[in-house]
Amino acid sequence: MSYLCKPNTIDHSMNILLLGSGGREHAIAWKIAQSPKVESLFIAPGNAGTSLVGTNISISVNDFSAIKDFVLTRKVNMVVVGPEDPLVHGVYDFFAEDADLKNVSVIGPSQKGAQMEGSKDFSKAFMQRHGIPTAAYKSFTSASIEEGVAFLKTMKAPYVLKADGLAAGKGVLIINDLQEAIQELNSMLDGKFGEASSTVVIEEFLSGIECSVFVMTDGTNYKILPEAKDYKRIGVGDKGLNTGGMGAVSPVSFADAVYMNKVEDRIIKPTISGLASEGIDYKGFLFLGLIKVDGEPVVIEYNARMGDPETEVVMLRIKSDIVDLLEGVAEGNLQEKELVIDPRSAVTVMLVSGGYPGYFEKGKEITGFNKVKNSILFHAGTKTDGDKVFTNGGRVIAVSSYGKNKAEALAKSFANAEKICFEKKYFRTDIGFDL
Ligand code: AMP
Ligand code: GLY
């Protein structure tokens, strides 16, 4: 009987811990949970959505000692890091340097590798060393403020000023007036963004259309995941304040094969080989924020993680078992793994709390889940109380859909966005408008 059957070669024994609590993490958890290799999936701290596909545990992403205890007690084999914060704080190195943890895989770069996101000065210098196309720049501190002012005077408006360190997505200022730019330079170096702006990068303004490209790497080999475009402004027509992201689409029509070949040759290859040649451990996701200038790709920024809300479309387009790919990342044999991409379009529309990105209220009951058909809901800022779900952040739920094209996918997401109800719900009705 069963002993005559072909043995099941899939090892269902992976225990995975995913760090994070946003829509990105729900999308990654949703994809991981589909893998036959997984025995248990834990999410720390997670949200109401991640509890539908795994077990939430109440540990903060930066509490490394609590993470260690949990990993050892629950025999976790792999830790997948969603947000940048624990990476910049060195979670990879914490595991690598601990005798009890060093055999646990961490998907995410070392602290040094996370500097690609954690320090604009570091990433700009890296690109310069490796001949990777990016805007011309110089960095300044309070000791070189006069040189900074002189540099600004050599530039043309608009002026681009960037806090070197992590500033919760608020550290980039684009200013039209020279006097105002000089004032902002002073106030940034004077602590406007705390320690993050003790160094300021001033760079050339680039004009073009942006998209996000995602790479999975084991430090030597890489796979290029589906590209996406996100919509950062709160208002229709890309107007108003910047947000964490109001929606995304994939594929991106202007990122055609010719463009993507240039991205691979001029940016991805020198980045991966540059990290390796500098002895920087990088096993995880690399996010390229690109701008297309006169048809050519230029790097605006690197991130050491996946994008949000881009992940809420990228995961839909990965057909392969993501855990198999992540094992390739951890074990250094990513070239042996298969990445199959779904040719369909995927889009996501973010439902946000009224008032966001300014002041907004939390704790509004969310209803209508059972009316949603033909979309996948990824929770961003939600929490459960008993069997009810409540808003718990500015970005609340990402409504993701497939379609044979972008228009078909968007029609599903917009229809379902209407069916989910909470007080003061808002969403953009023009995601993908410019493609
Ligand atoms: P970053 O945090 O570096 O991605 O910058 C945030 C946003 O500012 C980018 O997505 C761009 O829209 C814009 N930006 C950053 N750098 C430049 C630049 N050099 N020229 C034009 N826009 C820029
Ligand atoms: N969507 C842009 C980011 O995740 O930084």
Side-chain angles (χ1 to χ4, degrees), residues 215-284:
V215 181
M216 198 184 234
T217 180
D218 61 13
T220 308
N221 310 291
Y222 61 84
K223 300 276 185 206
I224 305 175
L225 304 180
E227 78 288 351
K229 183 172 198 310
D230 76 339
Y231 292 81
K232 293 198 175 93
R233 304 295 186 114
I234 189 70
V236 164
D238 250 342
K239 301 269 161 42
L241 293 175
N242 253 323
T243 71
M246 297 296 293
V249 304
S250 177
V252 178
S253 46
F254 68 81
D256 55 15
V258 174
Y259 185 73
M260 290 304 286
N261 282 334
K262 291 178 185 171
V263 171
E264 181 167 9
D265 288 341
R266 300 177 193 173
I267 298 168
I268 297 174
K269 285 181 180 165
T271 301
I272 304 294
S273 64
L275 288 164
S277 72
E278 295 190 22
I280 297 173
D281 270 350
Y282 205 114
K283 289 172 181 291

Side-chain angles (χ1 to χ4, degrees), residues 120 135 160 162 172 174 203-206 210 232 300-301:
K120 304 256 187 219
V160 182
K162 300 186 173 185
V172 175
I174 298 179
E203 70 176 35
E204 167 199 12
F205 179 83
L206 300 172
E210 292 177 51
K232 293 198 175 93
I300 291 265
E301 65 165 348

Side-chain angles (χ1 to χ4, degrees), residues 24 84 117 212 214 230-232 243-245 247 287 301 303 305-311 395:
R24 168 183 51 212
E84 62 277 17
E117 171 164 5
S212 310
F214 301 97
D230 76 339
Y231 292 81
K232 293 198 175 93
T243 71
F287 167 159
E301 65 165 348
N303 292 310
R305 53 170 172 86
M306 289 295 292
D308 198 348
E310 292 98 321
T311 307
R395 293 191 296 167

Side-chain angles (χ1 to χ4, degrees), residues 124-358:
K124 295 295 287 189
F126 177 91
M127 286 186 266
Q128 220 165 41
R129 283 197 293 282
H130 297 286
I132 296 165
T134 191
Y137 84 106
K138 278 191 176 161
S139 298
F140 302 94
T141 64
S142 52
S144 54
I145 197 157
E146 273 154 35
E147 289 95 316
V149 172
F151 184 64
L152 275 175
K153 288 180 177 162
T154 67
M155 315 269 292
K156 285 195 293 248
Y159 304 94
V160 182
L161 275 63
K162 300 186 173 185
D164 171 53
L166 294 182
K170 298 193 167 65
V172 175
L173 302 178
I174 298 179
I175 300 166
N176 282 312
D177 178 70
L178 176 63
Q179 286 315 315
E180 201 187 317
I182 293 171
Q183 253 170 34
E184 280 296 348
L185 174 64
N186 276 287
S187 97
M188 286 172 88
L189 291 174
D190 202 28
K192 175 170 181 149
F193 299 107
E195 190 52 34
S197 63
S198 59
T199 297
V200 172
V201 168
I202 300 178
E203 70 176 35
E204 167 199 12
F205 179 83
L206 300 172
S207 174
I209 187 157
E210 292 177 51
C211 76
S212 310
V213 170
F214 301 97
V215 181
M216 198 184 234
T217 180
D218 61 13
T220 308
N221 310 291
Y222 61 84
K223 300 276 185 206
I224 305 175
L225 304 180
E227 78 288 351
K229 183 172 198 310
D230 76 339
Y231 292 81
K232 293 198 175 93
R233 304 295 186 114
I234 189 70
V236 164
D238 250 342
K239 301 269 161 42
L241 293 175
N242 253 323
T243 71
M246 297 296 293
V249 304
S250 177
V252 178
S253 46
F254 68 81
D256 55 15
V258 174
Y259 185 73
M260 290 304 286
N261 282 334
K262 291 178 185 171
V263 171
E264 181 167 9
D265 288 341
R266 300 177 193 173
I267 298 168
I268 297 174
K269 285 181 180 165
T271 301
I272 304 294
S273 64
L275 288 164
S277 72
E278 295 190 22
I280 297 173
D281 270 350
Y282 205 114
K283 289 172 181 291
F285 296 103
L286 180 69
F287 167 159
L288 312 172
L290 303 178
I291 187 164
K292 188 175 188 179
V293 182
D294 300 326
E296 311 300 328
V298 180
V299 179
I300 291 265
E301 65 165 348
Y302 288 109
N303 292 310
R305 53 170 172 86
M306 289 295 292
D308 198 348
E310 292 98 321
T311 307
E312 290 93 306
V313 298
V314 172
M315 289 299 140
L316 266 66
R317 298 198 59 222
I318 299 177
K319 279 181 140 179
S320 315
D321 178 348
I322 195 158
V323 175
D324 189 47
L325 287 159
L326 295 175
E327 283 183 306
V329 169
E331 290 161 14
N333 58 0
L334 190 55
Q335 80 284 8
E336 292 165 19
K337 307 292 183 180
E338 193 185 30
L339 170 63
V340 182
I341 295 181
D342 195 315
R344 287 177 292 174
S345 290
V347 307
T348 198
V349 173
M350 190 65 78
L351 309 182
V352 306
S353 301
Y356 173 78

